[in-house]
């Protein structure tokens, strides 16, 4: 891994390097995505089935696009019972964590005849996109479906690309059933996003689309935003480890590689105050790369976006970490909770040497759908909040309005909105002040 002395200039250079991975920089694919979206919008199922045959090499029709109960039962028979048990254990933790995020409607009444409040309402229908292909992520199924379920969404619609045999990966189906997905459709890619956003004869239009996917899925979500809501436009995975001389270099190296194996565009960064640790971690990384199964992907990730940054002190290290705003941040220092309090920007923060990033990916409970590419500066992890909407509640009695109607009329008049003023004044036009 590249070892760099931490300065404002080196941090700026790394930030520019990392931002090259953003989906916003893949404009060359936008025209192809726009064509897919337009065809699905205009032609519905016929275009959806044609694209599925073109990209997934499988015949999908109105008769077999929806996963059946029989297919789900078959999936349970195919998945190792011990894995089903693990999925159920993880589900309990994830549900419990998200239940703590629930917000209730609230109202306040005053003796002057006013009542104000906020009504919290679950979304009616949500679409969950689940990637397919070579990688299978039942953990992401849980992370996307469960907060929607906890929020009280009426219908959770899941789409995922089928294999060439026309079937969905069994582990994906088991996770979907356990989490509470209401209906599952065998369709993927930008065409699935279009179907969820616009609706077709087979797939109902949803109010919001969540879930990760490839660059075509990311660009499709970006394009339909505004027509429906979306969670985020996810970029490649990333990890940043803040460490001092007390950290175990073997643990740190292993954690860095846990994200580097995702993608050649994944980012793994160590920021440390110890030159000795930097050298030891680099050596451990080299040893691990030689024996791990995704060796080629890991090496390209490290060559492109892997860094070891050496800081003069922990305050400098934290400042750089806040500037990078990583998706995952591990703090492995003498006083990790003290350091954590100085961190402003991170998707998820893992504290101490036994809280490695995969703990959050699979089991602890917090959501692993996190902001990437520096967006942790202003975005949050997927949560129950993403599946509700809020309405303001306003009630004034006649007496309460009478006391302040002149103030409102003056405010409206100052903006030359006479109809606004009149809407208030008309209620008191025959009354003496």
């Amino acid at each position: 891994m590249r070892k760099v002395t931490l300065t404002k200039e080196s941090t700026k250079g790394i930030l520019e390097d990392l931002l090259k991975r953003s989906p916003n920089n893949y404009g060359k694919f936008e025209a192809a995505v726009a064509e897919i979206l337009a065809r699905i919008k205009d032609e519905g199922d016929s275009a959806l089935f044609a694209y599925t045959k073109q990209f997934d090499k499988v015949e999908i029709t109105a008769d077999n696009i929806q996963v059946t109960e029989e297919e789900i039962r078959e999936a349970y028979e195919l998945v190792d019972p011990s894995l089903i048990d693990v999925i159920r254990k993880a589900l309990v933790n994830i549900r419990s964590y998200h239940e703590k995020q629930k917000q209730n409607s609230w109202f306040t009444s005053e003796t002057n005849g006013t009542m104000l409040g906020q009504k919290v309402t679950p979304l009616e229908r949500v679409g969950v996109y689940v990637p397919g292909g070579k990688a299978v992520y039942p953990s992401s199924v849980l992370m996307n479906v469960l907060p929607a379920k906890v929020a009280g969404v009426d219908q959770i619609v899941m789409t995922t690309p089928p294999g060439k045999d026309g079937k969905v990966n069994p582990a994906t189906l088991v996770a979907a059933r356990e989490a509470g997905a209401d209906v599952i459709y065998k369709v993927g890619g930008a065409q699935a996003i279009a179907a969820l956003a616009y609706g077709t004869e087979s797939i109902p239009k949803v109010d919001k689309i969540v879930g990760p996917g490839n660059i075509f899925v990311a660009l499709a979500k970006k394009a339909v935003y505004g027509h429906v809501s979306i969670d985020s436009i996810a970029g490649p995975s990333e990890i940043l480890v803040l460490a001092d001389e007390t950290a175990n270099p073997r643990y740190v190296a292993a954690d860095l590689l846990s994200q580097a194996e995702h993608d050649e565009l994944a980012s793994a960064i160590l920021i440390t105050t110890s030159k000795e640790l930097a050298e030891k971690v680099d050596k451990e990384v080299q040893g691990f790369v030689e024996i791990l199964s995704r060796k080629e992907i890991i090496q390209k990730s490290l060559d492109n976006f892997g860094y070891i940054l050496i800081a003069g002190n922990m305050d400098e290290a934290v400042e750089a970490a806040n500037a990078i705003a990583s998706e995952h941040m591990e703090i492995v220092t003498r006083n990790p909770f003290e350091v954590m309090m100085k961190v402003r920007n991170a998707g998820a923060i893992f504290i101490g040497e036994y809280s490695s990033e995969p703990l959050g990916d699979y089991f602890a409970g917090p959501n692993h759908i996190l902001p990437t590419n520096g967006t942790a500066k202003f975005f949050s992890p997927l949560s129950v909040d993403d599946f509700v909407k809020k309405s303001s509640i306003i009630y004034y009695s006649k007496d309460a309005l009478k006391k302040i109607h002149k103030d409102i009329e003056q405010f409206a008049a100052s903006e030359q909105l006479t109809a606004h003023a009149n809407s208030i004044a008309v209620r008191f036009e025959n009354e003496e002040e």
Side-chain angles (χ1 to χ4, degrees), residues 296-316:
E296 292 182 5
I297 291 174
I298 291 172
Q299 191 59 61
K300 287 181 180 178
S301 167
L302 296 178
D303 290 345
N304 293 328
F305 303 106
Y307 294 94
I308 296 176
L309 306 180
I310 303 169
N313 55 59
M314 189 52 64
D315 285 341
E316 286 184 9

Side-chain angles (χ1 to χ4, degrees), residues 92-290:
V92 170
N93 294 340
I94 297 165
R95 182 193 290 121
S96 176
Y97 181 87
H98 286 83
E99 282 176 344
K100 294 178 175 66
Q101 297 176 337
K102 288 184 71 173
Q103 296 186 47
N104 296 316
S105 301
W106 58 267
F107 306 92
T108 58
S109 298
E110 303 291 342
T111 56
N112 63 2
T114 67
M115 184 186 76
L116 302 176
Q118 182 172 269
K119 184 175 182 288
V120 179
T121 308
L123 300 183
E124 186 174 347
R125 183 182 291 125
V126 166
V128 173
Y129 184 85
V130 176
K134 296 178 183 177
V136 179
Y137 300 113
S139 60
S140 283
V141 177
L142 301 183
M143 293 293 181
N144 279 283
V145 173
L146 277 169
K149 200 72 179 176
V150 170
V153 171
D154 291 358
Q155 186 181 39
I156 301 171
V157 178
M158 191 175 110
T159 66
T160 188
K164 291 181 181 179
D165 60 357
K167 296 185 177 182
V168 174
N169 179 273
T172 297
L173 290 183
V174 168
R177 171 52 58 89
E178 293 291 324
D182 294 300
V183 60
I184 306 166
Y185 294 102
K186 303 171 189 174
V187 59
Q191 59 272 25
I193 301 302
L196 292 170
Y198 305 127
T200 72
E201 296 90 333
S202 294
I203 298 180
K205 179 188 182 305
V206 301
D207 301 310
K208 184 166 188 169
I209 301 171
V210 302
N214 62 20
I215 187 60
F216 292 96
V217 169
L219 289 175
K221 287 173 68 177
K222 181 181 176 183
V224 300
Y225 176 63
H227 192 77
V228 294
S229 181
I230 63 171
D231 53 346
S232 64
I233 303 170
S237 189
E238 51 202 35
I239 185 171
L240 186 151
V241 179
L242 273 175
D244 60 16
E245 71 283 356
T246 67
N248 183 317
R250 189 165 176 81
Y251 294 175
V252 172
D255 294 355
L256 291 169
L257 300 185
S258 72
Q259 295 309 291
E261 77 169 342
H262 267 298
D263 190 328
E264 293 172 6
L265 296 176
S267 166
I269 299 173
L270 166 64
I271 305 181
T272 181
T273 53
S274 170
K275 291 183 180 178
E276 182 180 356
L277 180 75
E279 294 294 339
K280 289 181 178 178
V281 168
D282 190 29
K283 185 176 180 181
E284 292 285 356
V285 164
Q286 293 175 37
F288 277 132
V289 169
E290 289 303 313

Side-chain angles (χ1 to χ4, degrees), residues 394 396-413 417-431 433:
I394 303 163
Y396 268 56
S397 67
K398 181 179 180 180
D399 286 344
L401 183 63
K402 187 174 183 179
K403 292 174 184 177
I404 50 90
H405 78 96
K406 291 288 187 183
D407 294 336
I408 302 172
E409 291 163 28
Q410 182 180 353
F411 219 149
L417 296 175
T418 55
H420 279 64
N422 184 61
S423 171
I424 298 293
V426 71
R427 285 164 167 76
F428 304 99
E429 59 189 351
N430 295 320
E431 298 186 17
E433 293 295 329

